[in-house]
Amino acid sequence: MEHWAGVIMAAGAGSRMVSRIPKPLHKVCGKEMVRYPVELLQGLGIERILVVVSPATHTPVREALGDSVEYVIQPAPNGTGDAAAHAVAALPKDTANLVLLGSDSPLLRQESLQQLVEQHQASGSAMTMLTAPDMLAPDLGRVLRDEEGRIVALVEAADSDEDAWAPAEVNAGAYCFSRTWLEATLPRIAPSASGEIYLTSLVGLAAQDGDVVDSVASELPEEIFGVNDRIQLAQVETVMRWQILETLMRSGVTVQDPGSVYIDAGVAIGCDTVIRPNTSVLGNTAIGEGCEIGPNAVIQDSRIGNDCRVTASMLEEATLEDGIDVGPFSHLRPGSHLETGVHLGNYVEVKESRLGRGVLAGHFSYLGDATVGAGTNIGAGTITCNFDGKDKHRTSIGESAFIGCDTMLVAPVSVGDRAATGAGSVVTRDVPRNLLAVGVPARIRANNQLTDTKAPD
């Protein structure tokens, strides 16, 4: 795609969303709408991508997209034609063609955009647009053709004299332009009654000058659905959610009840994994093969290995290696890392902690800011008391240790390999390996005697 550029319109106020959030940043299946056209253009191999923003949307859009694109500010809301003019002025002179997309049509497919580009290159036309024939789309502009089938005008829905619900060929809002033609023609657009300059007016000017406006018909009409309000946002999400589930099921994932499962666009799931009802898999999550997730699970931005089971539990920015069993009713907070073979049962909460291979924590425990060695058993009611009211402190538990029920580990503190604590102990001092600490506060039992001093390691 040498000498091509991409332009994305993201300067609109989106007043019908009734939101303090700019419309391009409302999410569909976990991803801001403006990210979808950016990824489409990147998929085409276009390296120069310009996003047109307003003074109000510039900062939040930049926070979302970072430096992956360039930004062009449209100082005043003077319409899509004015936005395009600002973008064209910012392009390098060697740009021969450009793809122009909106930021509110997240269902647009890579295949359609590829066909649009190929048709534009093959025809050498001034303008090539994506359309959808025989659509019931009362809020989209209608394509008018002459007797020979040539496109001669676009009529905005508000200006059309035809029945708004009559089938028609409609404008999908995706275009390819010859840069020199666009640069020469944009200044000729007459402002509308509201003073705005509409990009769609280019079609009439092209017909007037005898320039060719080519088109590509969408093969999947729902891809042209755009978002102007919260109702359309929900409708578009419904379509995309089913597309995501269909793709996963065709790749070997079982989804027992698609109507109750929510999976975001950035999720990857391996073959023979089963997603049970009332489960949400969100954000940048990856799940391996042969897992069972749900029912009633929420997985957010997490990594789950092969052959894991997560039942009625919540994971946030957590990592599970292979063969791990979690839940029901457990919560893994950010920074949790469970090594192979860990078992967490009912009501176990883990935060910023690493649990070694084969660790067992079956009931009612909190492990925060902790490191737990392989093969250790965490008794019911164990709590790492990691917060002193001002600072967080870490707890270290060695391998093959045994932490008795209702043990309070007052951090900073460590328990050595193969050490143990008695039920109900409050551990305020380090417990050396191979020894037992019991009591409140816990003391070391050495030679069947209790001592207040630290036993030799």
Side-chain angles (χ1 to χ4, degrees):
M1 299 295 291
E2 190 176 1
H3 306 304
W4 278 77
V7 175
I8 298 169
M9 303 292 201
S15 57
R16 281 184 279 175
M17 298 296 291
V18 193
S19 177
R20 291 184 293 271
I21 301 171
K23 185 172 75 167
L25 297 182
H26 280 264
K27 292 184 179 181
V28 174
C29 292
K31 189 185 299 183
E32 297 91 343
M33 286 195 290
V34 72
R35 290 188 184 275
Y36 288 97
V38 171
E39 291 174 359
L40 285 177
L41 294 172
Q42 290 172 337
L44 288 174
I46 294 178
E47 297 181 358
R48 190 96 185 232
I49 301 173
L50 279 61
V51 178
V52 183
V53 294
S54 69
T57 63
H58 180 204
T59 298
V61 171
R62 190 181 193 104
E63 288 174 353
L65 298 179
D67 295 330
S68 62
V69 299
E70 301 175 38
Y71 300 91
V72 176
I73 297 177
Q74 183 187 18
N78 293 330
T80 52
D82 179 68
H86 281 86
V88 171
L91 291 173
K93 292 300 180 182
D94 65 347
T95 302
N97 296 284
L98 60 97
V99 182
L100 190 147
L101 304 174
S103 58
D104 58 1
S105 298
L107 296 174
L108 186 63
R109 298 179 306 142
Q110 190 79 57
E111 296 88 342
S112 296
L113 202 58
Q114 184 68 49
Q115 291 175 17
L116 187 70
V117 168
E118 291 174 356
Q119 181 64 25
H120 185 74
Q121 290 176 317
S123 66
S125 57
M127 173 180 179
T128 307
M129 57 187 298
L130 183 67
T131 71
D134 298 321
M135 284 286 293
L136 301 176
D139 57 346
L140 295 180
R142 298 187 171 213
V143 178
L144 299 185
R145 295 179 182 267
D146 62 17
E147 294 179 352
E148 298 180 1
R150 292 173 297 202
I151 297 175
V152 295
L154 281 179
V155 180
E156 297 295 336
D159 301 327
S160 177
D161 295 330
E162 298 183 34
D163 179 3
W165 287 101
E169 182 181 13
V170 297
N171 173 28
Y175 313 93
C176 288
F177 293 104
S178 160
R179 185 260 177 80
T180 55
W181 180 86
L182 183 63
E183 193 170 35
T185 310
L186 280 170
R188 297 172 51 201
I189 299 177
S192 67
S194 65
E196 292 190 64
I197 298 171
Y198 292 129
L199 187 72
T200 51
S201 299
L202 289 169
V203 174
L205 291 174
Q208 177 182 317
D209 296 344
D211 294 319
V212 175
V213 177
D214 207 345
S215 67
V216 170
S218 168
E219 297 175 0
L220 193 67
E222 57 262 37
E223 74 176 314
I224 74 166
F225 292 166
V227 174
N228 291 304
D229 57 30
R230 308 268 185 161
I231 297 169
Q232 292 177 337
L233 183 70
Q235 292 169 339
V236 164
E237 174 132 2
T238 298
V239 173
M240 183 176 290
R241 182 154 57 92
W242 173 252
Q243 291 175 350
I244 292 169
L245 293 175
E246 185 177 37
T247 299
L248 288 171
M249 289 187 284
R250 291 188 187 281
S251 69
V253 176
T254 294
V255 181
Q256 283 189 323
D257 180 19
S260 70
V261 169
Y262 296 80
I263 298 180
D264 277 352
V267 169
I269 303 178
C271 181
D272 291 325
T273 285
V274 177
I275 307 297
R276 301 207 182 278
N278 300 317
T279 292
S280 296
V281 187
L282 310 174
N284 186 26
T285 292
I287 299 174
E289 299 182 356
C291 296
E292 183 178 323
I293 309 298
N296 306 311
V298 178
I299 316 295
Q300 172 83 48
D301 295 321
S302 295
R303 294 288 181 270
I304 297 177
N306 299 322
D307 303 312
C308 292
R309 181 180 179 186
V310 179
T311 305
S313 296
M314 183 171 187
L315 279 60
E316 303 173 272
E317 300 176 34
T319 299
L320 277 60
E321 297 182 5
D322 296 342
I324 291 172
D325 185 18
V326 176
F329 314 121
S330 286
H331 186 187
L332 274 62
R333 293 165 55 192
S336 300
H337 188 119
L338 277 55
E339 296 182 9
T340 298
V342 168
H343 166 72
L344 301 185
N346 313 332
Y347 303 102
V348 178
E349 182 174 355
V350 182
K351 189 271 292 186
E352 286 288 349
S353 297
R354 188 179 187 100
L355 277 56
R357 285 174 171 259
V359 166
L360 304 177
H363 323 275
F364 307 101
S365 297
Y366 171 66
L367 301 172
D369 299 290
T371 301
V372 182
T376 286
N377 183 85
I378 304 296
T382 296
I383 295 176
T384 58
C385 306
N386 58 330
F387 185 49
D388 64 6
K390 180 181 178 181
D391 298 312
K392 297 287 181 70
H393 301 282
R394 294 199 64 82
T395 296
S396 176
I397 303 173
E399 296 185 0
S400 301
F402 184 92
I403 307 301
C405 294
D406 292 324
T407 294
M408 305 289 112
L409 297 158
V410 183
V413 71
S414 66
V415 177
D417 295 344
R418 299 175 298 281
T421 65
S425 297
V426 178
V427 180
T428 59
R429 299 182 180 182
D430 293 350
V431 181
R433 65 185 182 184
N434 300 317
L435 295 181
L436 167 67
V438 298
V440 181
R443 292 180 291 176
I444 303 300
R445 182 185 290 274
N447 299 321
N448 295 318
Q449 298 293 322
L450 293 176
T451 177
D452 288 322
T453 60
K454 183 176 179 180
D457 192 352

